[in-house]
Amino acid sequence: MRAARVVLTQSHALYAPPPCAAPDHCAAPAALLELARANDRASTATAARNSAILLDDPDAALAARLNLIAGARYSIDVQTYLWSFDDVGNLMLDALLRAAQRGVTVRILADQLFSFPDVGTLAAPARSSPQLHIRLYNPTFDEAHTQPLQWAAGIVCCYFRFNQRMHDKLLLVGRSPRRR
């Protein structure tokens, strides 16, 4: 499985199609984004219109996230505590890379301690598109990867800073900076 991940990320680094020239960055139709846009159009300064949809099935939630990413036109912000390179992590990273390659600004903020354990896996996607920005929250000793000895030293010397982890999980698909 490790070799497959490296090949996946290296392929993105080697082939980056030119950004889409269309104003919507060739976004795919996304029902949830259309609902948000309709609510935005129906909202007034005194009465906002909102919708909430409960996605309690993990497969439906993943499909919704992937659809939101494919439908993004301007920006995507992802904030997470843990990024695993399993099927879901790879699908999400691939979708985010494709969005960045279309010209969508993609920003990922991941907790350093439990995300991107291999610096090469982190570097390849970061080089794949100038629209992709990856940041690590609270890196131990300002490094992308924590070795076991550094992990132990972080607990001993700087426990409160070391234990300052970011447990937030967020996927925000934004609109153009120009509002209506």
Side-chain angles (χ1 to χ4, degrees):
M1 192 68 153
R2 183 179 178 101
R5 284 194 303 251
V6 173
V7 169
L8 172 70
T9 56
Q10 286 178 348
S11 69
H12 289 293
L14 296 174
Y15 171 71
C20 175
D24 69 353
H25 295 289
C26 300
L32 292 175
L33 288 175
E34 291 307 319
L35 175 62
R37 288 183 191 110
N39 284 339
D40 193 40
R41 287 188 300 271
S43 294
T44 65
T46 58
R49 182 167 172 202
N50 300 292
S51 296
I53 299 171
L54 178 62
L55 298 170
D56 57 355
D57 174 60
D59 294 333
L62 175 61
R65 286 184 191 100
L66 293 172
N67 185 250
L68 286 168
I69 293 168
R73 295 180 181 177
Y74 306 104
S75 67
I76 302 170
D77 291 285
V78 177
Q79 187 175 349
T80 187
Y81 171 66
L82 176 65
W83 195 296
S84 296
F85 286 96
D86 55 7
D87 291 341
V88 172
N90 288 331
L91 281 170
M92 289 291 292
L93 185 58
D94 185 61
L96 291 167
L97 287 170
R98 280 186 274 121
Q101 291 167 348
R102 287 190 288 117
V104 175
T105 299
V106 176
R107 292 177 292 265
I108 299 172
L109 177 62
D111 192 290
Q112 176 269 340
L113 198 56
F114 295 108
S115 296
F116 303 107
D118 178 13
V119 178
T121 305
L122 176 65
R127 288 190 307 262
S128 71
S129 171
Q131 296 297 103
L132 179 66
H133 310 276
I134 301 174
R135 300 276 191 258
L136 297 176
Y137 175 79
N138 197 17
T140 306
F141 302 116
D142 297 321
E143 294 187 16
H145 179 67
T146 304
Q147 300 294 334
L149 187 58
Q150 290 173 317
W151 196 85
I155 290 175
V156 171
C157 84
C158 331
Y159 177 76
F160 290 109
R161 179 179 180 266
F162 181 79
N163 197 40
Q164 183 71 39
R165 307 308 342 154
M166 177 192 65
H167 291 275
D168 303 345
K169 290 136 190 97
L170 171 79
L171 172 67
L172 177 67
V173 177
R175 67 170 141 228
S176 165
R178 300 172 310 277
R179 182 169 167 126
R180 289 190 267 204

